Amino acid sequence: MSAYRRHVATYPVRPVTVTARIAVPPDILFAFVSDTRNDPLWCPNVETVDLVDGSGVEVGARFRFHQHLDRPRSDRIQFDVEVEVIEVLDHSITWKATDKFQERLITLTVEPDGANSRVTQVTAASFTRPPGLAKWVYPVLARRTFRDQFEQLALYFERSGGP
């Protein structure tokens, strides 16, 4: 059992919601973003993703990410994140992501927007230690990170010639 699977006392911060319009039909976009093994293609801070348990995108499937966090005026931090699929609906998926810093509940929903898609991510995070200033800084930095990721997602589909 991974060290990250234990119960962790947490300190919640304000949830972060980010929405973007992506020029891809909803079914194609959801199939792509719901398979977290695609994250290295559009999430610049995710380096690798390995399936640990399960056979794919299904409730109970577990993945391990290796990712990094670039910090202003400081060294890059590299760490592993354990991700478990909690719920899969028609065009919505929820993951629980746990690492040495925080526990996150992430819900990603894809909805039609004309012939394109509107993707919304809601992330509720709880720190494993009292967050101090991070309580106020985290929502700002997380929102910027998630917007950057959605920009990279749109660019991925533009570069690949669309669906």
Side-chain angles (χ1 to χ4, degrees):
M1 180 180 271
S2 169
Y4 301 127
R5 300 260 318 152
R6 71 190 188 295
H7 177 71
V8 178
T10 59
Y11 304 87
V13 294
R14 193 172 68 237
V16 174
T17 301
V18 175
T19 300
R21 186 173 180 273
I22 309 290
V24 177
D27 291 339
I28 292 170
L29 183 61
F30 183 72
F32 183 80
V33 297
S34 66
D35 191 340
T36 196
R37 292 170 289 188
N38 292 324
D39 283 13
L41 300 173
W42 63 280
C43 297
N45 63 324
V46 177
E47 297 172 10
T48 61
V49 176
D50 297 308
L51 180 62
V52 175
D53 265 340
S55 59
V57 180
E58 60 193 13
V59 172
R62 289 186 315 115
F63 300 86
R64 183 163 293 116
F65 285 37
H66 184 69
Q67 67 183 57
H68 66 268
L69 176 63
D70 291 321
R71 300 179 301 165
R73 296 184 291 285
S74 192
D75 293 334
R76 171 181 276 191
I77 299 174
Q78 294 191 324
F79 55 97
D80 289 335
V81 180
E82 188 167 302
V83 177
E84 181 177 356
V85 177
I86 302 297
E87 181 178 63
V88 180
L89 301 173
D90 187 32
H91 281 92
S92 177
I93 187 165
T94 300
W95 299 278
K96 179 181 173 183
T98 307
D99 60 50
K100 64 183 180 179
F101 307 107
Q102 60 186 310
E103 183 175 280
R104 294 176 308 254
L105 197 60
I106 304 161
T107 300
L108 195 118
T109 305
V110 177
E111 300 172 295
D113 186 8
N116 301 309
S117 300
R118 184 178 57 221
V119 59
T120 301
Q121 178 174 315
V122 178
T123 302
S126 293
F127 285 88
T128 56
R129 290 181 288 214
L133 288 177
K135 184 173 186 168
W136 292 278
V137 174
Y138 172 83
V140 173
L141 295 178
R143 191 170 289 109
R144 183 175 67 197
T145 298
F146 302 149
R147 283 183 183 142
D148 290 348
Q149 288 175 347
F150 283 163
E151 287 175 16
Q152 291 301 313
L153 179 61
L155 288 171
Y156 171 81
F157 280 102
E158 286 176 24
R159 286 190 307 265
S160 68

